[in-house]
PDB file of all heavy atoms in Angstrom:
ATOM      1  N   MET I   1     -12.756  -1.948  18.501  1.00  0.00           N
ATOM      2  CA  MET I   1     -12.283  -2.084  17.118  1.00  0.00           C
ATOM      3  C   MET I   1     -11.547  -3.403  16.960  1.00  0.00           C
ATOM      4  O   MET I   1     -10.740  -3.767  17.809  1.00  0.00           O
ATOM      5  CB  MET I   1     -11.341  -0.921  16.783  1.00  0.00           C
ATOM      6  CG  MET I   1     -11.020  -0.820  15.307  1.00  0.00           C
ATOM      7  SD  MET I   1     -12.473  -0.329  14.348  1.00  0.00           S
ATOM      8  CE  MET I   1     -12.692   1.345  14.926  1.00  0.00           C
ATOM      9  N   VAL I   2     -11.810  -4.127  15.888  1.00  0.00           N
ATOM     10  CA  VAL I   2     -11.178  -5.417  15.667  1.00  0.00           C
ATOM     11  C   VAL I   2      -9.788  -5.210  15.119  1.00  0.00           C
ATOM     12  O   VAL I   2      -9.580  -4.467  14.171  1.00  0.00           O
ATOM     13  CB  VAL I   2     -12.000  -6.263  14.658  1.00  0.00           C
ATOM     14  CG1 VAL I   2     -11.311  -7.588  14.401  1.00  0.00           C
ATOM     15  CG2 VAL I   2     -13.402  -6.486  15.199  1.00  0.00           C
ATOM     16  N   LYS I   3      -8.815  -5.870  15.712  1.00  0.00           N
ATOM     17  CA  LYS I   3      -7.452  -5.826  15.190  1.00  0.00           C
ATOM     18  C   LYS I   3      -7.147  -7.190  14.604  1.00  0.00           C
ATOM     19  O   LYS I   3      -7.299  -8.210  15.262  1.00  0.00           O
ATOM     20  CB  LYS I   3      -6.462  -5.491  16.307  1.00  0.00           C
ATOM     21  CG  LYS I   3      -5.027  -5.365  15.791  1.00  0.00           C
ATOM     22  CD  LYS I   3      -4.095  -5.040  16.932  1.00  0.00           C
ATOM     23  CE  LYS I   3      -2.659  -4.964  16.436  1.00  0.00           C
ATOM     24  NZ  LYS I   3      -1.714  -4.733  17.531  1.00  0.00           N
ATOM     25  N   VAL I   4      -6.715  -7.232  13.346  1.00  0.00           N
ATOM     26  CA  VAL I   4      -6.546  -8.492  12.641  1.00  0.00           C
ATOM     27  C   VAL I   4      -5.098  -8.657  12.242  1.00  0.00           C
ATOM     28  O   VAL I   4      -4.506  -7.767  11.635  1.00  0.00           O
ATOM     29  CB  VAL I   4      -7.433  -8.535  11.371  1.00  0.00           C
ATOM     30  CG1 VAL I   4      -7.254  -9.844  10.645  1.00  0.00           C
ATOM     31  CG2 VAL I   4      -8.889  -8.345  11.758  1.00  0.00           C
ATOM     32  N   ALA I   5      -4.535  -9.791  12.566  1.00  0.00           N
ATOM     33  CA  ALA I   5      -3.182 -10.087  12.112  1.00  0.00           C
ATOM     34  C   ALA I   5      -3.204 -10.271  10.612  1.00  0.00           C
ATOM     35  O   ALA I   5      -4.101 -10.899  10.050  1.00  0.00           O
ATOM     36  CB  ALA I   5      -2.667 -11.364  12.791  1.00  0.00           C
ATOM     37  N   THR I  10      -9.028 -14.796   7.961  1.00  0.00           N
ATOM     38  CA  THR I  10     -10.204 -15.398   8.551  1.00  0.00           C
ATOM     39  C   THR I  10     -11.388 -14.473   8.425  1.00  0.00           C
ATOM     40  O   THR I  10     -11.308 -13.376   7.884  1.00  0.00           O
ATOM     41  CB  THR I  10      -9.952 -15.687  10.037  1.00  0.00           C
ATOM     42  OG1 THR I  10      -9.778 -14.432  10.702  1.00  0.00           O
ATOM     43  CG2 THR I  10      -8.700 -16.535  10.229  1.00  0.00           C
ATOM     44  N   GLU I  11     -12.534 -14.903   8.995  1.00  0.00           N
ATOM     45  CA  GLU I  11     -13.721 -14.054   9.003  1.00  0.00           C
ATOM     46  C   GLU I  11     -13.451 -12.758   9.757  1.00  0.00           C
ATOM     47  O   GLU I  11     -14.072 -11.737   9.489  1.00  0.00           O
ATOM     48  CB  GLU I  11     -14.889 -14.813   9.668  1.00  0.00           C
ATOM     49  CG  GLU I  11     -15.374 -16.024   8.876  1.00  0.00           C
ATOM     50  CD  GLU I  11     -16.162 -15.616   7.647  1.00  0.00           C
ATOM     51  OE1 GLU I  11     -16.418 -14.422   7.464  1.00  0.00           O
ATOM     52  OE2 GLU I  11     -16.531 -16.516   6.866  1.00  0.00           O
ATOM     53  N   ALA I  12     -12.511 -12.797  10.712  1.00  0.00           N
ATOM     54  CA  ALA I  12     -12.190 -11.572  11.439  1.00  0.00           C
ATOM     55  C   ALA I  12     -11.634 -10.507  10.519  1.00  0.00           C
ATOM     56  O   ALA I  12     -11.843  -9.313  10.723  1.00  0.00           O
ATOM     57  CB  ALA I  12     -11.181 -11.876  12.552  1.00  0.00           C
ATOM     58  N   ALA I  13     -10.911 -10.929   9.470  1.00  0.00           N
ATOM     59  CA  ALA I  13     -10.384  -9.960   8.507  1.00  0.00           C
ATOM     60  C   ALA I  13     -11.524  -9.231   7.813  1.00  0.00           C
ATOM     61  O   ALA I  13     -11.490  -8.022   7.617  1.00  0.00           O
ATOM     62  CB  ALA I  13      -9.498 -10.669   7.479  1.00  0.00           C
ATOM     63  N   GLU I  14     -12.547  -9.987   7.443  1.00  0.00           N
ATOM     64  CA  GLU I  14     -13.717  -9.380   6.793  1.00  0.00           C
ATOM     65  C   GLU I  14     -14.395  -8.401   7.749  1.00  0.00           C
ATOM     66  O   GLU I  14     -14.796  -7.301   7.359  1.00  0.00           O
ATOM     67  CB  GLU I  14     -14.692 -10.474   6.371  1.00  0.00           C
ATOM     68  CG  GLU I  14     -15.938  -9.947   5.699  1.00  0.00           C
ATOM     69  CD  GLU I  14     -16.868 -11.063   5.290  1.00  0.00           C
ATOM     70  OE1 GLU I  14     -16.396 -12.199   5.092  1.00  0.00           O
ATOM     71  OE2 GLU I  14     -18.072 -10.798   5.173  1.00  0.00           O
ATOM     72  N   ALA I  15     -14.505  -8.798   9.021  1.00  0.00           N
ATOM     73  CA  ALA I  15     -15.151  -7.930  10.002  1.00  0.00           C
ATOM     74  C   ALA I  15     -14.376  -6.644  10.187  1.00  0.00           C
ATOM     75  O   ALA I  15     -14.950  -5.567  10.394  1.00  0.00           O
ATOM     76  CB  ALA I  15     -15.281  -8.662  11.336  1.00  0.00           C
ATOM     77  N   ALA I  16     -13.055  -6.727  10.109  1.00  0.00           N
ATOM     78  CA  ALA I  16     -12.237  -5.533  10.287  1.00  0.00           C
ATOM     79  C   ALA I  16     -12.357  -4.593   9.106  1.00  0.00           C
ATOM     80  O   ALA I  16     -12.261  -3.379   9.256  1.00  0.00           O
ATOM     81  CB  ALA I  16     -10.775  -5.928  10.477  1.00  0.00           C
ATOM     82  N   TRP I  17     -12.563  -5.152   7.912  1.00  0.00           N
ATOM     83  CA  TRP I  17     -12.699  -4.301   6.728  1.00  0.00           C
ATOM     84  C   TRP I  17     -13.990  -3.499   6.742  1.00  0.00           C
ATOM     85  O   TRP I  17     -14.022  -2.364   6.279  1.00  0.00           O
ATOM     86  CB  TRP I  17     -12.678  -5.181   5.467  1.00  0.00           C
ATOM     87  CG  TRP I  17     -11.346  -5.289   4.841  1.00  0.00           C
ATOM     88  CD1 TRP I  17     -10.198  -5.724   5.429  1.00  0.00           C
ATOM     89  CD2 TRP I  17     -11.009  -4.968   3.500  1.00  0.00           C
ATOM     90  NE1 TRP I  17      -9.180  -5.709   4.536  1.00  0.00           N
ATOM     91  CE2 TRP I  17      -9.648  -5.247   3.343  1.00  0.00           C
ATOM     92  CE3 TRP I  17     -11.726  -4.493   2.417  1.00  0.00           C
ATOM     93  CZ2 TRP I  17      -8.987  -5.046   2.135  1.00  0.00           C
ATOM     94  CZ3 TRP I  17     -11.072  -4.298   1.213  1.00  0.00           C
ATOM     95  CH2 TRP I  17      -9.716  -4.569   1.084  1.00  0.00           C
ATOM     96  N   ALA I  18     -15.061  -4.092   7.271  1.00  0.00           N
ATOM     97  CA  ALA I  18     -16.373  -3.482   7.124  1.00  0.00           C
ATOM     98  C   ALA I  18     -16.445  -2.039   7.582  1.00  0.00           C
ATOM     99  O   ALA I  18     -16.925  -1.177   6.835  1.00  0.00           O
ATOM    100  CB  ALA I  18     -17.423  -4.329   7.847  1.00  0.00           C
ATOM    101  N   PRO I  19     -15.966  -1.686   8.796  1.00  0.00           N
ATOM    102  CA  PRO I  19     -16.108  -0.297   9.219  1.00  0.00           C
ATOM    103  C   PRO I  19     -15.229   0.661   8.448  1.00  0.00           C
ATOM    104  O   PRO I  19     -15.412   1.874   8.518  1.00  0.00           O
ATOM    105  CB  PRO I  19     -15.697  -0.337  10.700  1.00  0.00           C
ATOM    106  CG  PRO I  19     -14.835  -1.532  10.821  1.00  0.00           C
ATOM    107  CD  PRO I  19     -15.383  -2.529   9.854  1.00  0.00           C
ATOM    108  N   MET I  20     -14.256   0.152   7.686  1.00  0.00           N
ATOM    109  CA  MET I  20     -13.382   1.025   6.916  1.00  0.00           C
ATOM    110  C   MET I  20     -14.029   1.435   5.597  1.00  0.00           C
ATOM    111  O   MET I  20     -13.597   2.383   4.956  1.00  0.00           O
ATOM    112  CB  MET I  20     -12.063   0.314   6.589  1.00  0.00           C
ATOM    113  CG  MET I  20     -11.271  -0.132   7.777  1.00  0.00           C
ATOM    114  SD  MET I  20      -9.755  -0.927   7.203  1.00  0.00           S
ATOM    115  CE  MET I  20      -9.312  -1.856   8.656  1.00  0.00           C
ATOM    116  N   LEU I  21     -15.073   0.731   5.177  1.00  0.00           N
ATOM    117  CA  LEU I  21     -15.562   0.887   3.811  1.00  0.00           C
ATOM    118  C   LEU I  21     -16.974   1.437   3.718  1.00  0.00           C
ATOM    119  O   LEU I  21     -17.586   1.394   2.663  1.00  0.00           O
ATOM    120  CB  LEU I  21     -15.514  -0.475   3.105  1.00  0.00           C
ATOM    121  CG  LEU I  21     -14.126  -1.101   3.009  1.00  0.00           C
ATOM    122  CD1 LEU I  21     -14.232  -2.472   2.367  1.00  0.00           C
ATOM    123  CD2 LEU I  21     -13.178  -0.232   2.214  1.00  0.00           C
ATOM    124  N   MET I  89      -3.829   3.479   9.461  1.00  0.00           N
ATOM    125  CA  MET I  89      -3.965   2.126   9.988  1.00  0.00           C
ATOM    126  C   MET I  89      -3.404   2.016  11.401  1.00  0.00           C
ATOM    127  O   MET I  89      -3.790   1.121  12.163  1.00  0.00           O
ATOM    128  CB  MET I  89      -3.255   1.136   9.063  1.00  0.00           C
ATOM    129  CG  MET I  89      -3.975   0.879   7.760  1.00  0.00           C
ATOM    130  SD  MET I  89      -5.590   0.099   7.962  1.00  0.00           S
ATOM    131  CE  MET I  89      -5.115  -1.533   8.513  1.00  0.00           C
ATOM    132  N   PHE I  92      -5.480   1.608  14.783  1.00  0.00           N
ATOM    133  CA  PHE I  92      -5.915   0.356  15.389  1.00  0.00           C
ATOM    134  C   PHE I  92      -4.955  -0.131  16.471  1.00  0.00           C
ATOM    135  O   PHE I  92      -5.207  -1.168  17.096  1.00  0.00           O
ATOM    136  CB  PHE I  92      -6.088  -0.709  14.304  1.00  0.00           C
ATOM    137  CG  PHE I  92      -7.186  -0.387  13.332  1.00  0.00           C
ATOM    138  CD1 PHE I  92      -6.896   0.165  12.090  1.00  0.00           C
ATOM    139  CD2 PHE I  92      -8.509  -0.593  13.667  1.00  0.00           C
ATOM    140  CE1 PHE I  92      -7.911   0.474  11.195  1.00  0.00           C
ATOM    141  CE2 PHE I  92      -9.540  -0.283  12.779  1.00  0.00           C
ATOM    142  CZ  PHE I  92      -9.235   0.256  11.542  1.00  0.00           C
ATOM    143  N   VAL I 117     -12.282   6.653   7.568  1.00  0.00           N
ATOM    144  CA  VAL I 117     -12.959   5.655   6.739  1.00  0.00           C
ATOM    145  C   VAL I 117     -12.934   6.084   5.277  1.00  0.00           C
ATOM    146  O   VAL I 117     -12.588   5.307   4.385  1.00  0.00           O
ATOM    147  CB  VAL I 117     -14.406   5.437   7.222  1.00  0.00           C
ATOM    148  CG1 VAL I 117     -15.131   4.464   6.304  1.00  0.00           C
ATOM    149  CG2 VAL I 117     -14.417   4.930   8.651  1.00  0.00           C
ATOM    150  N   ARG I 120      -9.437   5.696   3.782  1.00  0.00           N
ATOM    151  CA  ARG I 120      -9.011   4.345   3.405  1.00  0.00           C
ATOM    152  C   ARG I 120      -9.646   3.874   2.104  1.00  0.00           C
ATOM    153  O   ARG I 120      -9.183   2.903   1.508  1.00  0.00           O
ATOM    154  CB  ARG I 120      -9.303   3.370   4.553  1.00  0.00           C
ATOM    155  CG  ARG I 120      -8.467   3.677   5.786  1.00  0.00           C
ATOM    156  CD  ARG I 120      -8.701   2.692   6.915  1.00  0.00           C
ATOM    157  NE  ARG I 120      -8.086   3.213   8.124  1.00  0.00           N
ATOM    158  CZ  ARG I 120      -8.757   3.564   9.217  1.00  0.00           C
ATOM    159  NH1 ARG I 120     -10.068   3.432   9.260  1.00  0.00           N
ATOM    160  NH2 ARG I 120      -8.107   4.042  10.264  1.00  0.00           N
ATOM    161  N   PHE I 127      -1.016  -5.974   2.209  1.00  0.00           N
ATOM    162  CA  PHE I 127      -0.163  -6.337   3.336  1.00  0.00           C
ATOM    163  C   PHE I 127       0.936  -7.314   2.936  1.00  0.00           C
ATOM    164  O   PHE I 127       1.008  -7.788   1.812  1.00  0.00           O
ATOM    165  CB  PHE I 127      -1.020  -6.914   4.459  1.00  0.00           C
ATOM    166  CG  PHE I 127      -1.985  -5.917   5.043  1.00  0.00           C
ATOM    167  CD1 PHE I 127      -3.331  -5.970   4.729  1.00  0.00           C
ATOM    168  CD2 PHE I 127      -1.537  -4.921   5.890  1.00  0.00           C
ATOM    169  CE1 PHE I 127      -4.226  -5.057   5.261  1.00  0.00           C
ATOM    170  CE2 PHE I 127      -2.426  -3.998   6.426  1.00  0.00           C
ATOM    171  CZ  PHE I 127      -3.769  -4.066   6.113  1.00  0.00           C
ATOM    172  N   ASN I 131      -3.900 -12.144   2.287  1.00  0.00           N
ATOM    173  CA  ASN I 131      -4.963 -12.376   3.271  1.00  0.00           C
ATOM    174  C   ASN I 131      -6.339 -12.359   2.614  1.00  0.00           C
ATOM    175  O   ASN I 131      -7.186 -11.535   2.932  1.00  0.00           O
ATOM    176  CB  ASN I 131      -4.893 -11.339   4.404  1.00  0.00           C
ATOM    177  CG  ASN I 131      -5.066  -9.913   3.918  1.00  0.00           C
ATOM    178  OD1 ASN I 131      -4.933  -9.635   2.720  1.00  0.00           O
ATOM    179  ND2 ASN I 131      -5.379  -9.006   4.819  1.00  0.00           N
ATOM    180  N   PHE I 133     -10.189 -13.275   1.771  1.00  0.00           N
ATOM    181  CA  PHE I 133     -11.322 -13.666   2.606  1.00  0.00           C
ATOM    182  C   PHE I 133     -11.658 -15.142   2.334  1.00  0.00           C
ATOM    183  O   PHE I 133     -11.390 -15.655   1.240  1.00  0.00           O
ATOM    184  CB  PHE I 133     -12.545 -12.813   2.280  1.00  0.00           C
ATOM    185  CG  PHE I 133     -12.357 -11.347   2.532  1.00  0.00           C
ATOM    186  CD1 PHE I 133     -13.013 -10.417   1.746  1.00  0.00           C
ATOM    187  CD2 PHE I 133     -11.533 -10.882   3.552  1.00  0.00           C
ATOM    188  CE1 PHE I 133     -12.865  -9.061   1.973  1.00  0.00           C
ATOM    189  CE2 PHE I 133     -11.373  -9.528   3.784  1.00  0.00           C
ATOM    190  CZ  PHE I 133     -12.035  -8.610   2.992  1.00  0.00           C
ATOM    191  N   TRP I 143     -16.717  -7.849  -2.901  1.00  0.00           N
ATOM    192  CA  TRP I 143     -17.290  -7.657  -1.570  1.00  0.00           C
ATOM    193  C   TRP I 143     -17.338  -6.194  -1.133  1.00  0.00           C
ATOM    194  O   TRP I 143     -18.371  -5.693  -0.689  1.00  0.00           O
ATOM    195  CB  TRP I 143     -16.503  -8.479  -0.552  1.00  0.00           C
ATOM    196  CG  TRP I 143     -17.065  -8.424   0.832  1.00  0.00           C
ATOM    197  CD1 TRP I 143     -18.135  -9.118   1.308  1.00  0.00           C
ATOM    198  CD2 TRP I 143     -16.583  -7.627   1.914  1.00  0.00           C
ATOM    199  NE1 TRP I 143     -18.352  -8.813   2.630  1.00  0.00           N
ATOM    200  CE2 TRP I 143     -17.412  -7.894   3.024  1.00  0.00           C
ATOM    201  CE3 TRP I 143     -15.534  -6.724   2.058  1.00  0.00           C
ATOM    202  CZ2 TRP I 143     -17.222  -7.283   4.257  1.00  0.00           C
ATOM    203  CZ3 TRP I 143     -15.343  -6.113   3.293  1.00  0.00           C
ATOM    204  CH2 TRP I 143     -16.188  -6.396   4.368  1.00  0.00           C
ATOM    205  N   ILE I 147     -21.016  -4.251  -0.426  1.00  0.00           N
ATOM    206  CA  ILE I 147     -21.542  -3.808   0.871  1.00  0.00           C
ATOM    207  C   ILE I 147     -21.790  -2.306   0.901  1.00  0.00           C
ATOM    208  O   ILE I 147     -22.445  -1.802   1.811  1.00  0.00           O
ATOM    209  CB  ILE I 147     -20.610  -4.190   2.039  1.00  0.00           C
ATOM    210  CG1 ILE I 147     -19.291  -3.434   1.984  1.00  0.00           C
ATOM    211  CG2 ILE I 147     -20.388  -5.691   2.094  1.00  0.00           C
ATOM    212  CD1 ILE I 147     -18.479  -3.539   3.271  1.00  0.00           C
TER     213      ILE I 147
END
Side-chain angles (χ1 to χ4, degrees):
M1 191 68 68
V2 178
K3 183 180 178 184
V4 180
T10 65
E11 293 286 355
E14 180 180 335
W17 264 57
M20 301 181 200
L21 300 177
M89 287 296 291
F92 295 100
V117 176
R120 294 182 192 116
F127 295 104
N131 61 343
F133 298 148
W143 184 79
I147 67 167

